[in-house]
């Protein structure tokens, strides 16, 4: 869990923004809710010096990365940077190719805790080999660093990256919209979700599918759509990397991002990615996420642009949900994770009205 500069700020990053973001993280309740990593994405770097050392932009980061890391650490937070496996980053800044060990040593010396490693300008490089070189370089630098693989799912990293990185992007970039598409491959969050959904079997503690950073709070999605986006990322055990300006959150957005019950769903120790169990009425999807302690979460997601009603007869599911035993009986307790209260038991039908693009997210427990 953390924050990354890209979705909101793109190349417009400097140390003032990063310090203020760390301050906001520590004071707004975000840190308390579990957010930890502050990650600067592309454009912090400008060149290499005569010895090949990577040089942070001296105008935007005049105090240097070590001072920034110290500041972030002093707030009880962790610090991440971005680089790229190719000769240049996606924004044309110096990439890591041929400098992997040197860069890893610099990151370790500065106190970096997280590296997002992209895949632009890679010519004939193979992704798996390129990421293994950087993994080994980080290991040799002897500092624990979360390694975030970002080759957009193009070589199916879920099949090879388990022992290479801790998380891997599964799709092209998330756009700030519900379901838009751009010609180079970027897409709205519901489409990202569809691509990430079938990959659950590859994920688990220590190795996660990454459907990209959140667009919650970036001003295009409604509050309802934002909470659905946040919920579905939690249902998929996705990394919760916020991508908004956390210095200026509306109360509604802050409440979404700090909902401890949804965060607990995401962070559930069983680490099972939830999946679409069935689609009802053409447009209501029912998602299921097995949880630790024999609990299970269900999320009814109304993808349509109309209000929908549901009426669930639990008797059909006593004993089994999707063919698996979750021990549901007529005494199973239903908790609404957005209302943050118990709303009854499975002894009675669950009747609810779900607004367009909204979710009903419940946990079933004994
Ligand atoms: C790629 C990545 C994005 C972001 C940009 C930065 O598009 O997928 O997440 O890091 O590069 O240039």
């Amino acid at each position: 869990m953390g924050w990354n500069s890209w979705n909101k700020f793109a190349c417009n990053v400097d140390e003032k923004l990063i310090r203020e973001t760390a301050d906001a993280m520590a004071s707004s309740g975000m840190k308390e809710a579990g957010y930890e990593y502050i990650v600067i994405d592309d454009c912090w770097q400008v060149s290499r010096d005569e010895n090949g050392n990577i040089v942070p932009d001296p105008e935007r980061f005049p105090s240097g990365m070590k001072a920034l890391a110290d500041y972030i650490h002093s707030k009880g937070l962790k610090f991440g940077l971005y680089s790229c496996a190719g000769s240049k980053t996606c924004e044309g800044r110096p990439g890591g190719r041929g400098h992997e060990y040197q860069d890893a040593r610099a990151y370790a010396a500065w106190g970096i805790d997280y590296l997002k490693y992209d895949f632009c300008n890679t010519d004939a490089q193979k992704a798996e080999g390129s990421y293994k070189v950087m993994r080994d370089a980080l290991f040799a630098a002897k500092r624990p660093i979360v390694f975030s693989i970002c080759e957009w799912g193009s070589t199916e990293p879920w099949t090879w990256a388990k022992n290479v990185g801790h998380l891997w992007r599964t799709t092209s970039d998330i756009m700030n919209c519900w379901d838009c598409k751009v010609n180079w491959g970027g897409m709205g969050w519901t489409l990202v979700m569809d691509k990430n959904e079938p990959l659950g079997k590859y994920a688990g503690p220590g190795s996660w599918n990454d459907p990209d950073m959140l667009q919650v709070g970036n001003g295009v999605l409604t509050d309802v759509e934002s909470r659905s986006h946040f919920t579905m990322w939690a249902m998929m055990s996705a990394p919760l990397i916020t991508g908004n300006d956390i210095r200026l959150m509306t109360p509604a957005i802050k409440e979404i991002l700090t909902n401890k019950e949804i965060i607990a769903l995401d962070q559930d120790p069983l680490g099972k990615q939830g999946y679409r169990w069935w689609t009802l009425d053409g447009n209501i999807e029912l998602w299921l996420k097995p949880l630790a302690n024999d609990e299970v979460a269900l999320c009814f997601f109304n993808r349509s642009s109309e209000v929908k009603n549901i009426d669930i007869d639990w008797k059909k599911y006593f004993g089994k949900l999707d063919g698996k035993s979750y021990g549901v009986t007529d005494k199973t307790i239903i908790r609404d994770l957005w209302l943050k209260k118990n709303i009854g038991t499975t002894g009675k039908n669950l009747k609810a009205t779900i607004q367009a693009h909204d979710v009903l997210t419940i946990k079933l427990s004994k």
Side-chain angles (χ1 to χ4, degrees), residues 38-72:
I38 304 267
V39 181
I40 313 180
D41 208 279
D42 208 346
C43 303
W44 60 268
Q45 62 287 70
V46 279
S47 57
R48 290 193 179 275
D49 70 12
E50 66 278 11
N51 297 317
N53 297 309
I54 190 78
V55 178
D57 186 329
E59 275 162 30
R60 288 174 173 265
F61 296 93
S63 316
M65 289 302 169
K66 173 79 171 73
L68 199 47
D70 289 347
Y71 185 77
I72 290 170

Side-chain angles (χ1 to χ4, degrees), residues 23-36:
D23 294 345
M25 191 79 113
S27 65
S28 65
M30 296 281 285
K31 178 185 162 195
E32 204 201 335
Y35 296 92
E36 190 176 19

Side-chain angles (χ1 to χ4, degrees), residues 6 41-42 82 90-91 116 118 150 152 169 173 213:
W6 184 254
D41 208 279
D42 208 346
Y82 160 104
C90 298
E91 286 293 323
K116 171 175 169 181
D118 215 335
C150 178
W152 325 296
R169 281 272 298 277
D173 289 10
M213 303 160 303

Side-chain angles (χ1 to χ4, degrees), residues 232-250:
M232 298 317 295
W233 260 229
M235 286 297 288
M236 296 193 295
S237 307
L240 296 179
I241 309 288
T242 54
N244 58 323
D245 188 343
I246 63 173
R247 302 168 303 175
L248 302 169
M249 285 185 283
T250 64

Side-chain angles (χ1 to χ4, degrees), residues 124-135:
Q125 279 172 259
K126 296 270 192 300
E128 182 174 350
S130 301
Y131 283 97
K132 282 182 171 164
V133 172
M134 195 64 210
R135 171 200 63 186

